[in-house]
Amino acid sequence: MSSAPSSPLPSASSASGVTAVSIPTSAMGLGATDAPLSGARRALVLLVMQGLPFLGLCAGAWLFVQEGIRALDVALLVGMYLLTMTGIELGFHRHFAHRTFETTRPLRALLLVLGSMAGQGSALLWSGVHRLHHAHTDMPGDPHSPTLGRRGAWQRVRGLFWAQFLWYLDAPAIPRFGRFLERHRASPASVHAQEEDSQEQRLARTIPDLLRDDALLRLNQRYGLWVLLGLALPAAVGGLATGTWGGALRGLVWGGFVRYFLVQQVTFAINSVTHMVGTRPLETRDDSRNNGVMAVLTLGAGWHNNHHAFPGSAFTGFRWWQVDPLGQVIRLLARLGWAWDVRVPSPEAIAARTRRSAAP
Ligand SMILES: [Zn+2]
Ligand SMILES: [Zn+2]
């Protein structure tokens, strides 16, 4: 562990024109008005979050055994993976959660829809949970640290498993946050006055900039529709391309269900694997790691030690060999005039955070 200060999130600089967001220092733990999820509700949430995607994977395995896999299936799987991973990493993570760049309203809406299609929660919920992660990384209050309080090999394996598969069960606000946002839309002042110190309040306090945008909030509240769109789109392409119902079913399974499982597990592995496995070239006060395999799978998010050192940076790769495909997309958007206020740390700032043993 280093003693160097880690940047709070989002570390909006005054030069970027983005208003700094203050993160509450209270923990994600249960508030005075919170009750933990009941056993039946935990089972239901677990079924939705892990059971259904896994059933989707099983459907893909069954189809593979029965009929093999065709070029169109691979194209829909890869195409939908790239689209929804872009929605999560470029949209939910770098734009909504960290405000590392600003963009046009249509592109902002598109990123919200693509990210929602991944089925990992709405943009506002995802951003709130992620901002809490950065405010309390690997300390009490981090919603999904795999290392907090874990000593010894067995405890660390348990931590990895919990951060990968189960952490959201200890956050009852997550399944309730959509209804909280509905009440917020109806009466922002009264909902904040009534619900003191609940987990929903704590999440909401991390995203004042997003809550102020009513058009965004309206799109956000159609989350279920966007998840269904993520399943209907590959089914429609598969059906239209082959002119058969069987083609539609194959599109649904490969581009919808199997893709859903893969994108979810890869994204959650950023919470678990990249806080345990990889290198730590930059000074941070957490356990974040750079992991090249995860960087390829997430289109750039796997340089997680770089990201925790500079969470406000639009780019995650700081060396020529650190591949960051979505960073290149941001560069392209900026060149086209569709992205601006693109925030980048100076080479001096990166050098100052580089651990002596990691310097070239
Ligand atoms: Zn992290
Ligand atoms: Zn982040």
Side-chain angles (χ1 to χ4, degrees), residues 9 93 97-98 130 133-134 304 307-308 311:
L9 176 146
H93 190 210
H98 289 288
H130 193 70
H133 168 59
H134 276 269
H304 205 55
H307 172 60
H308 271 280

Side-chain angles (χ1 to χ4, degrees), residues 17-18 75 77 86 137 179 202 219 242-243 262 270 276 280 351-352 360:
V18 179
L77 175 60
T86 297
T137 312
R179 270 173 285 151
R202 293 172 188 192
L219 275 182
T242 60
L262 293 177
I270 291 291
M276 295 186 82
R280 291 182 41 73

Side-chain angles (χ1 to χ4, degrees), residues 317-333:
F318 296 157
R319 304 276 182 92
W320 65 267
W321 47 268
Q322 291 179 337
V323 290
D324 177 22
L326 292 176
Q328 297 303 325
V329 172
I330 294 173
R331 281 195 177 89
L332 177 66
L333 293 175

Side-chain angles (χ1 to χ4, degrees), residues 1 41-42 75 106-107 127 157-158 202 215 255 267-268 275 300 307 344:
M1 286 290 149
R41 196 119 168 95
R42 283 173 86 87
L107 205 51
S127 300
V157 169
R158 285 187 64 177
R202 293 172 188 192
T267 308
F268 282 12
H275 278 260
H307 172 60
V344 190

Side-chain angles (χ1 to χ4, degrees), residues 47-76:
L47 177 73
V48 171
M49 292 295 291
Q50 299 291 337
L52 294 182
F54 184 69
L55 281 178
L57 183 74
C58 292
W62 178 80
L63 208 55
F64 183 76
V65 170
Q66 296 295 313
E67 306 179 21
I69 189 163
R70 302 169 191 171
L72 182 60
D73 303 333
V74 175
L76 285 172

Side-chain angles (χ1 to χ4, degrees), residues 146 155-167 272 276:
Q155 278 294 319
R156 289 176 75 82
V157 169
R158 285 187 64 177
L160 187 81
F161 187 83
W162 178 81
Q164 179 71 28
F165 300 111
L166 302 174
W167 61 272
S272 60
M276 295 186 82

